[in-house]
């Protein structure tokens, strides 16, 4: 992590960034004024490079494979029979665990 400060009392190990110039254009006159804004800057970077596009594609591929995986017809028939008899119960705890651990 790198912390930069424009504070004059900062210790020697903190570098001061260059001030940012901001152009201000007056609407009444076409005179351009330049002001300098001093501010602190905090930059946080991961040690490794994180490729968001690769992560997104890999995640999409994984989800697609799970969705497209064939379901056991016997399991579907068992659930239908339980539903028709009125004794099918949704296992909320099991669903929550799978959602949190996946």
């Amino acid at each position: 992590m790198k912390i930069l400060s424009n504070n004059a009392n900062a210790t020697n190990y903190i570098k001061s960034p260059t001030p940012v110039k901001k152009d201000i254009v007056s609407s009444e006159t076409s005179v351009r004024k330049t002001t300098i804004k001093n501010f602190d800057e905090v930059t946080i970077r991961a040690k490794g490079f994180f490729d968001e596009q690769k992560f997104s594609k890999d995640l999409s591929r994984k989800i697609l494979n799970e969705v497209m995986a064939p379901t056991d017809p016997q399991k579907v028939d068992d659930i239908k029979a339980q539903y028709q008899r009125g004794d099918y119960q949704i296992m909320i705890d099991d669903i929550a665990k799978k959602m949190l651990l996946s």
Side-chain angles (χ1 to χ4, degrees):
M1 175 171 36
K2 178 171 86 174
I3 300 175
L4 303 175
S5 175
N6 281 336
N7 186 349
N9 296 326
T11 57
N12 292 335
Y13 63 89
I14 298 178
K15 278 187 165 181
S16 172
T18 57
V20 174
K21 292 181 181 179
K22 183 176 181 182
D23 291 336
I24 300 174
V25 178
S26 174
S27 60
E28 296 174 5
T29 62
S30 61
V31 176
R32 201 174 266 271
K33 297 178 185 178
T34 303
T35 60
I36 296 178
K37 299 252 181 182
N38 289 327
F39 58 90
D40 293 342
E41 177 183 341
V42 176
T43 304
I44 300 174
R45 294 188 184 128
K47 288 185 179 182
F49 179 72
F50 180 72
D51 186 4
E52 289 183 23
Q53 289 180 343
K54 183 180 182 305
F55 174 76
S56 175
K57 286 180 183 178
D58 290 345
L59 185 60
S60 297
R61 188 176 301 116
K62 182 179 176 183
I63 292 171
L64 182 63
N65 288 339
E66 288 180 11
V67 170
M68 298 303 289
T71 304
D72 182 21
Q74 182 62 39
K75 186 174 182 179
V76 174
D77 290 339
D78 290 343
I79 292 174
K80 283 182 182 178
Q82 289 176 8
Y83 179 76
Q84 289 171 352
R85 289 191 310 261
D87 59 353
Y88 177 71
Q89 295 181 356
I90 299 173
M91 303 297 182
I92 298 171
D93 292 335
D94 292 341
I95 294 171
K97 285 178 188 176
K98 287 183 180 182
M99 290 175 64
L100 293 173
L101 297 177
S102 294

